[in-house]
Amino acid sequence: MEHMGIEKDRLHFSWISSAEATKFIDVVTQVTESVKALGPAKKFVKAG
Amino acid sequence: MSDWEPKIITFLCNWCSYGAADLAGVSRMQYPANIRVVRIPCTGRMSPKFVLASFMNGADGVWISG
Amino acid sequence: MLTYAEKIRELSAQLLREDKVDMVIGFRKGSLPMSNEPCMVKNPGDADKLVWDSNCGVNLASYLTDRKERIGIIAKGCDSRNINTHIIENKIKREQLTIIGVPCTGMIDKRKVSNSVDFDIIEVIEEADKVIVKGAGSEQTFDKKEVLRKNCEVCIHPNPVVYDEMVAEKVDINQDVDRYADVREVEEMDSDDRWQYFEDLLSNCIRCYACRNACPLCYCPTCFVDESQPQWLGKSTNATDTRGFHFLRAYHCAGRCTDCGSCETVCPMGINMRAFTKKLEKDCLENFEWQAGLNTEQRPPLDSFNPSDPDAFVK
């Protein structure tokens, strides 16, 4: 994805166990912030 | 665009992260509401197609969690 | 090269006569210069149709998928690696195959040739390492090195990795090539430039799917582009759909692509779609020390777990 020109921070991977609610929240927050920082996606969005 | 909020399509494994999300909800924890959750039976169900389809349909971000 | 063809005919006829195989998959002369076409020979008498020269760029492993017959197949380096990939993926059994190995000296890029002459090509003759191109009343000679396909220029596996018969001595391997110069060039760009690079690369694509059909790895009964419920991609030449197609096709080839160049050879528009697959090939080599199809024992990186995986999130 990154090689093709999609910003790296738009795609995230993680591994969270079902008992790790706090980690879940940490990751949600971090993912949201990094995508927010990039602004709206313009590439790859199909027009119309 | 100050009030713009990103849309993040989130793929969660039923047994891991979906459980964590559920627990977070039950424990009444606060977290950003930008994620749109798709529950998958296992992260093995994940396919690059899904990521592509999300972006093509206007997602600002994609997060996959097992 | 000519001796290769004779030896191939002789071996194929023999295999068919002795009833060791039901057919031999090889190349015969095409109707246009520089366009040999794959063919299946079933009678020993027809073995004379088989040819071998520097226009056999298409990967013959594509014709093996789910075959039940006993097959003789002519394989250069990349074909043999794809045969291994087919065996690993249970698409053919090794016992069914008699592999006639051909040490490859590289295949020529017909687009390079036709772009460098200003007449209509009527005939192309090869002599040692020269390529003689003839038109009506004119003639031009090239060094074969100059008109090689891009993937053949950087090939490090010209000799078959698996074979039953060999038609000639193995050729020397040029290990001293920079295989990934083009990938690094893209890696150095920022994300907007990369986006533009691929936008330009694919702007000519007409979505004919010749690359998919020629690819030995693309054997899904229903390709994702043909699926309609859900429809992942539109059918037109919309830039986003086109990119989606090439991008996903490349992903399907991750850890399996042998850089045989079939896709590029058959493309009617001359698009270098190897720019996608090559990056994944490079990643496989760097992260997993994996090169596809070198043997049938090792499992490919995408179906095995390794504790030393470079990505932290899977541990």
Side-chain angles (χ1 to χ4, degrees), chain A residues 1-2 4 15 43 46, chain C residues 192 194 241 247 313 315:
Chain A
M1 272 321 242
E2 195 196 341
M4 196 173 69
W15 186 23
K43 296 165 183 167
K46 208 174 165 183
Chain C
D192 287 336
R194 287 178 189 187
D241 286 334
F247 172 72
F313 74 86
K315 284 185 242 185

Side-chain angles (χ1 to χ4, degrees), chain C residues 232-300:
Chain C
W232 300 105
L233 293 167
K235 309 289 182 198
S236 68
T237 52
N238 172 298
T240 312
D241 286 334
T242 307
R243 182 182 287 250
F245 160 61
H246 283 283
F247 172 72
L248 259 183
R249 199 187 79 82
Y251 257 94
H252 285 182
C253 301
R256 306 161 69 216
C257 180
T258 56
D259 201 22
C260 71
S262 272
C263 44
E264 204 183 332
T265 307
V266 298
C267 181
M269 308 305 282
I271 296 167
N272 173 23
M273 59 284 281
R274 283 173 48 250
F276 287 95
T277 48
K278 201 111 180 279
K279 161 70 176 162
L280 291 161
E281 207 207 323
K282 177 170 179 269
D283 285 353
C284 281
L285 182 64
E286 286 174 358
N287 295 334
F288 308 106
E289 290 163 17
W290 167 262
Q291 295 188 71
L294 293 186
N295 59 53
T296 47
E297 283 80 49
Q298 216 182 340
R299 296 303 303 176

Side-chain angles (χ1 to χ4, degrees), chain B residues 6-54:
Chain B
K7 272 197 208 100
I8 301 169
I9 306 298
T10 310
F11 295 90
L12 300 181
C13 162
N14 185 21
W15 309 106
C16 312
S17 301
Y18 198 85
D22 195 24
L23 184 59
V26 169
S27 325
R28 297 177 174 270
M29 293 174 171
Q30 295 291 320
Y31 61 86
N34 302 86
I35 60 169
R36 308 287 187 276
V37 178
V38 179
R39 176 168 67 161
I40 48 178
C42 167
T43 326
R45 179 68 185 85
M46 198 54 210
S47 155
K49 285 177 196 171
F50 301 165
V51 181
L52 199 74
S54 313

Side-chain angles (χ1 to χ4, degrees), chain A residues 10 12 14 16 25 32 41 46, chain B residues 29 60 62-66:
Chain A
R10 289 209 191 275
H12 291 261
S14 64
I16 300 166
I25 286 166
T32 311
K46 208 174 165 183
Chain B
M29 293 174 171
D60 298 303
V62 175
W63 170 35
I64 299 150
S65 189

